[in-house]
Amino acid sequence: MSKPGNYEAVRKDIVKLLHQPEYDDGSAGPVLVRLAWHSAGTYDAETDTGGSNGAGMRYEREGGDPANAGLQHARVFLEPVKAAHPWITYADLWTLAGCVAVREMGGPEIRWLPGRTDYVDDSKLPPRGRLPDGSKAADHVRAVFYRMGFNDQEIVALCGAHNLGRCHSDRSGFDGPWVNNLTRFSNQYFRLLAGLEWKLVTLPNGVKQWVYEDEDGISERLMMLPTDIALRDDPVFCEWVDSYAEDKELFFEDFAKAFAKLMELGITRDARGRVTNADNVKGGYHS
Ligand code: HIF
C-alpha cells in the first residue's frame, strides 16, 4: 500500500494497466478517458448537481444509465489500482486515470487536482439523460455543454477526444473508430472530419452514422457520429474544426484546458487548491 497522498505512485500503476492485449484494440486508454468524462459530464451549472464528486456510477442509478454502457470495463481495470492505493477516492481515481491515459497515448499533460469525495450527496444526484446523444444535432450538443458551462470553442476542443477509441454496436449501437490510429492522441480526428467525404448510412440495427470507405472498400471503415458531423456543418463550430485540423499544438493546448475544466465541474477549492465541498456532506452515504 502506498502512502496516502502519493498520487505519483497511483499514476505509475495506471500507466502499467493501459496495455491490455486481450481487450478491444489492446488498450484500456480510450475507455478510461470515456469513464472520466462521463463521471464529470452529468454536471448542471445552474443547480450545481452532477459532476465527478461521489463517483455515482458505482451505483445502478447512474451506472445503469444506458449512456454509460461499457464503462464497467474501465471501472474493473481500475480495481487493482484502488486495492493497491485504498486511500484514493474513486472519484479522484477515475478522473486521474482519464488524464493519465490521454498523456500516455501521446496527448498533452492535463492539470489534475485531487480532493474529490466518494460521499454520495442525494441532493446532488443527476437525473439520467444528462449525457449527450450521438444521434442529435448541433443544438443538442450546445444545450448539453452550455449546461456544464462550456463555450463553442471549448466544445470543439473537447470533441477532439474522439480521436481515441471506437464505438461498439453492443454498447451505443454505433459501430467503428473515428481514426485509424485510435490509441494515439493527435488532431487526426479534425483532419479527417474536415477533409474526407462522409456518407450517411443506416446500420443493420437501424442506427444512422456517417462512414468513409476507401475507394477499394477494403480498408477499415471509419465513422463519425451525427454529433461529430454537426461540428463540421455548424458555422461557428467549423471554424474551430479547421483551426485544430491545421494546428496540432493549438489543439493540444486548448484540449488540456477544456478537459481539466471538465474534471473540475462541481468541485470548489480554496486559494490553496483544497476542496471545500467534498467533506461532511449532509444526508450522504459512503461506500
Ligand atoms: Fe464520446 N462517445 N461523446 N466523448 N467518447 C463514444 C465513445 C467515446 C459522444 C458519444 C459517444 C465526448 C463527447 C461525446 C470518448 C470521449 C469523449 C461513443 C461510443 C459515443 C456514442 C460508445 C461505445 O459504443 O462504446 C457524444 C454524443 C459526445 C458529445 C459531442 C468528449 C469529447 C469528445 C467529452 C470526450 O472526451 C472516448 C474516448 C470514446 C471511446 C471509448 C471506447 O471505449 O473506445
Side-chain angles (χ1 to χ4, degrees):
M1 185 180 134
S2 63
K3 221 172 123 225
N6 187 354
Y7 293 100
E8 246 346 277
V10 182
R11 270 179 192 271
K12 283 194 184 128
D13 281 354
I14 294 168
V15 169
K16 278 193 217 144
L17 71 76
L18 292 179
H19 182 58
Q20 293 285 346
E22 303 297 316
Y23 173 76
D24 222 9
D25 301 286
S27 171
V31 80
L32 289 177
V33 174
R34 188 162 201 245
L35 176 69
W37 128 243
H38 277 211
S39 79
T42 54
Y43 189 65
D44 173 44
E46 201 179 302
T47 54
D48 188 29
T49 55
S52 61
N53 255 340
M57 250 188 274
R58 288 172 299 158
Y59 307 104
E60 173 59 22
R61 177 169 160 154
E62 192 175 332
D65 186 337
N68 288 326
L71 293 179
Q72 69 277 10
H73 295 284
R75 296 196 294 276
V76 168
F77 284 138
L78 291 173
E79 276 306 314
V81 185
K82 173 69 176 167
H85 312 278
W87 50 267
I88 195 171
T89 61
Y90 280 101
D92 272 347
L93 180 58
W94 295 351
T95 50
L96 177 60
C99 297
V100 170
V102 166
R103 181 78 192 97
E104 281 303 303
M105 290 187 283
E109 180 80 42
I110 297 160
R111 186 166 182 266
W112 177 88
L113 291 168
R116 289 163 197 76
T117 182
D118 281 347
Y119 278 95
V120 174
D121 179 348
D122 292 327
S123 70
K124 301 273 182 193
L125 284 179
R128 286 189 180 180
R130 286 224 177 138
L131 292 163
D133 174 348
S135 69
K136 299 246 168 92
D139 56 345
H140 169 74
V141 176
R142 283 201 170 88
V144 168
F145 284 91
Y146 285 2
R147 187 203 69 219
M148 290 181 244
F150 290 105
N151 64 29
D152 286 356
Q153 172 262 317
E154 292 169 317
I155 292 171
V156 180
L158 280 174
C159 284
H162 278 166
N163 203 98
L164 301 172
R166 62 166 63 247
C167 295
H168 306 77
S169 48
D170 59 339
R171 298 184 191 175
S172 61
F174 299 101
D175 190 35
W178 289 267
V179 306
N180 285 310
N181 204 346
L182 51 91
T183 56
R184 188 82 200 150
F185 197 87
S186 80
N187 65 341
Q188 204 202 359
Y189 164 86
F190 293 114
R191 286 189 273 127
L192 300 182
L193 180 59
L196 295 185
E197 233 173 80
W198 296 95
K199 190 174 84 182
L200 184 63
V201 298
T202 305
L203 302 178
N205 62 9
V207 170
K208 287 186 167 49
Q209 68 180 38
W210 296 73
V211 298
Y212 171 76
E213 274 170 8
D214 274 359
E215 272 159 35
D216 60 14
I218 295 167
S219 56
E220 190 172 13
R221 273 187 7 169
L222 300 178
M223 64 84 62
M224 289 283 164
L225 300 168
T227 46
D228 297 304
I229 294 292
L231 303 180
R232 181 197 69 180
D233 293 346
D234 179 85
V236 180
F237 287 149
C238 78
E239 296 286 333
W240 291 104
V241 170
D242 290 343
S243 301
Y244 295 141
E246 278 159 29
D247 191 340
K248 185 179 143 193
E249 296 313 312
L250 178 71
F251 164 54
F252 273 35
E253 217 176 280
D254 287 356
F255 178 81
K257 280 188 217 147
F259 204 80
K261 176 171 165 179
L262 178 64
M263 296 299 101
E264 284 291 304
L265 296 177
I267 319 292
T268 54
R269 297 183 187 276
D270 64 18
R272 292 168 61 192
R274 282 180 313 200
V275 174
T276 54
N277 65 335
D279 293 316
N280 308 317
V281 179
K282 290 187 189 70
Y285 51 95
H286 197 260
S287 62

